[in-house]
Amino acid sequence: MGIPMHATSNDPGHTFLTDVTASVETLRGAIKRSLHGSPTATELSRRLSFSTKLGWKIHWLLNHHDPITAALYVPGRAGLKSVADGLRKAGADEGKVAEVEQAADGFLECVDRLADDRLSFDTLVASISSKEKYAEECRKLAHQGARFVWGIEAELNHAVYIVHPSTKVGRAQGDFLDIARVRGIVGCQRLRADVPLRLGHWVREHDQLMGDSGHAVAGPVAIPSLTDGAADGPPVMREYSSNPLPEFVGKSRKGGGLEYRLGPTPIGKMGRFDLVIADLVWQGVGRSDWEQSKTQTMHFMLRMPAKLAVLDVLIHRDLYDGRVPSVRLVNDLYDSSRVEEYDGSDTLPNVPRAETLRAMEREMAVAEHPGLAKAVIQVIEELGWDAEKLDAYRLRMPYAPIPITMALQFEV
């Protein structure tokens, strides 16, 4: 026996968007014609004799500006029957009530045609709607699954980049850029004892990585006055991290440097810790290369389930055109190595807006770890940079899915 195929249409007008929009507009048009005036949610519940919850659903169905988002408020079969029954009891014209019932059947047929069930339909709608709250609820469910699958989680996963003209003595200072980084992993805990956590790699300043040509290549180095030296461990800012911290075990990398991995810890709350690390890439980018590019993108690759992911970029205002950076959430299901070359099909929906901040402790503080902002300001001051010449931008996403790359793209 063959597998039945779903009916399809070659008419380009029969798309998901047009079908959903048409069925929703037909339904809410029929309901509006059967009502007198524009009742509030409370009035709907009272006049049509149904629950407050159903009253609010119908209110948002009738009044939301986006018909795709309004589809999320269409009640189920029983709720639609309650609407028709309520209209009939309230004395609405029987012909208009019949239009409501016919439109309700049309919407339910649309759901059956486009999705396996109502839950699947709502997920499809939410992925292209403007309803961020529903999208966040879906991400929260995904977060619960991810923490179980990956066996590790954090309250906050926070990355900060500070881009500044180089102040290092040696090579021509004005020809290069320095990039300081601060990373906060807050409320981190394992759910299984054997789950790895790789922090990254660092080199000592006098042990720069060697490229294929034999010339030194800038690598991330610790800031000795602020952190533990990378020779003895990751560059931890002890003032802002848990005390004691779990052990981090170094492993040599090909080409130089050490990668640090989380050592044994208890699972759950007993092993929970906060970690703040800071480093610097001296003269990591040529200024001419930077300025010749049309855009520059700062990335934060997310690989750990976290309740909140934050990317901050502080950039010297001489290095870009002053416009608020564009935001990208890049799908990393395939290849995350060439983020700049991804096209629109690689980006995820429900993209948050970039926030504009000032490089000040009180503006950059996050509730999950207020000390992180102080750590950032301390790094800026230690490097002799002027915070007043830095513009700050933030990308914030609750329950960010993994694996993705959060990115802020600057016009230069």
Side-chain angles (χ1 to χ4, degrees), residues 167-190:
T167 55
K168 182 176 175 63
V169 177
R171 296 193 287 182
Q173 295 174 206
D175 293 342
F176 294 89
L177 305 180
D178 296 336
I179 302 175
R181 308 184 301 183
V182 180
R183 176 80 182 280
I185 303 174
V186 177
C188 184
Q189 63 183 26
R190 282 174 163 145

Side-chain angles (χ1 to χ4, degrees), residues 70-217:
L72 295 169
Y73 296 103
V74 178
R77 190 178 300 275
L80 288 169
K81 184 177 184 302
S82 295
V83 172
D85 290 345
L87 288 167
R88 193 171 279 116
K89 290 178 183 178
D93 180 83
E94 183 60 33
K96 292 181 179 178
V97 175
E99 290 180 6
V100 171
E101 291 176 323
Q102 184 177 1
D105 289 340
F107 177 82
L108 295 173
E109 289 172 3
C110 179
V111 172
D112 291 340
R113 184 172 64 255
L114 298 176
D116 293 328
D117 51 38
R118 181 58 190 271
L119 179 60
S120 300
F121 175 83
D122 284 350
T123 301
L124 288 168
V125 169
S127 70
I128 55 176
S129 79
S130 59
K131 190 170 186 288
E132 169 57 24
K133 183 177 180 181
Y134 186 86
E136 183 175 326
E137 290 171 357
C138 290
R139 295 199 306 268
K140 186 174 181 179
L141 290 173
H143 168 79
Q144 295 297 332
R147 61 196 289 267
F148 169 80
V149 170
W150 300 114
I152 195 167
E153 63 178 341
E155 291 288 320
L156 170 67
N157 194 5
H158 193 159
V160 183
Y161 292 92
I162 310 166
V163 186
H164 196 281
S166 182
T167 55
K168 182 176 175 63
V169 177
R171 296 193 287 182
Q173 295 174 206
D175 293 342
F176 294 89
L177 305 180
D178 296 336
I179 302 175
R181 308 184 301 183
V182 180
R183 176 80 182 280
I185 303 174
V186 177
C188 184
Q189 63 183 26
R190 282 174 163 145
L191 281 66
R192 295 193 302 274
D194 58 346
V195 175
L197 172 62
R198 294 174 171 84
L199 292 184
H201 73 280
W202 291 270
V203 296
R204 294 183 295 272
E205 187 173 352
H206 60 272
D207 277 345
Q208 293 293 294
L209 297 174
M210 301 303 292
D212 294 336
S213 64
H215 297 293
V217 177

Side-chain angles (χ1 to χ4, degrees), residues 287-412:
R287 185 159 182 170
S288 60
D289 293 335
W290 174 281
E291 293 176 346
Q292 288 173 11
S293 302
K294 293 182 179 179
T295 60
Q296 290 289 343
T297 306
M298 308 305 293
H299 311 138
F300 185 20
M301 298 170 64
L302 301 180
R303 300 295 182 267
M304 179 192 300
K307 290 183 180 179
L308 178 63
V310 178
L311 168 63
D312 288 341
V313 177
L314 285 69
I315 183 169
H316 195 285
R317 59 181 60 100
D318 289 347
L319 300 178
Y320 78 117
D321 68 359
R323 283 184 283 179
V324 175
S326 58
V327 175
R328 300 189 70 186
L329 298 178
V330 180
N331 167 10
D332 282 351
L333 290 179
Y334 304 104
D335 178 17
S336 60
S337 62
R338 310 279 309 170
V339 173
E340 295 91 341
E341 298 179 5
Y342 284 5
D343 58 32
S345 64
D346 295 297
T347 58
L348 299 180
N350 300 104
V351 177
R353 294 181 178 179
E355 304 172 36
T356 302
L357 306 173
R358 286 181 292 178
M360 303 172 63
E361 182 179 342
R362 67 174 180 270
E363 287 207 14
M364 298 191 63
V366 289
E368 291 76 7
H369 193 323
L372 254 173
K374 184 178 179 181
V376 172
I377 299 303
Q378 191 174 352
V379 167
I380 293 170
E381 292 175 348
E382 180 64 24
L383 295 173
W385 297 346
D386 186 353
E388 293 186 359
K389 294 182 179 179
L390 297 171
D391 291 333
Y393 298 98
R394 169 166 291 170
L395 181 54
R396 176 188 178 97
M397 192 171 197
Y399 303 105
I402 59 171
I404 65 167
T405 294
M406 299 170 68
L408 288 173
Q409 191 170 71
F410 293 83
E411 300 292 331
V412 298

Side-chain angles (χ1 to χ4, degrees), residues 7-24 68 71 106 109-111 113-115 121 124-125 128:
T8 59
S9 172
N10 292 324
D11 182 351
H14 285 274
T15 65
F16 184 89
L17 284 173
T18 55
D19 284 3
V20 174
T21 299
S23 65
V24 168
I68 297 299
E109 289 172 3
C110 179
V111 172
R113 184 172 64 255
L114 298 176
F121 175 83
L124 288 168
V125 169
I128 55 176

Side-chain angles (χ1 to χ4, degrees), residues 226-255:
L226 297 179
T227 65
D228 293 345
D232 304 312
V236 177
M237 298 186 77
R238 293 283 176 183
E239 181 180 351
Y240 308 102
S241 301
S242 297
N243 185 18
L245 268 176
E247 179 186 10
F248 290 91
V249 181
K251 183 177 180 180
S252 297
R253 299 177 78 251
K254 183 178 180 181

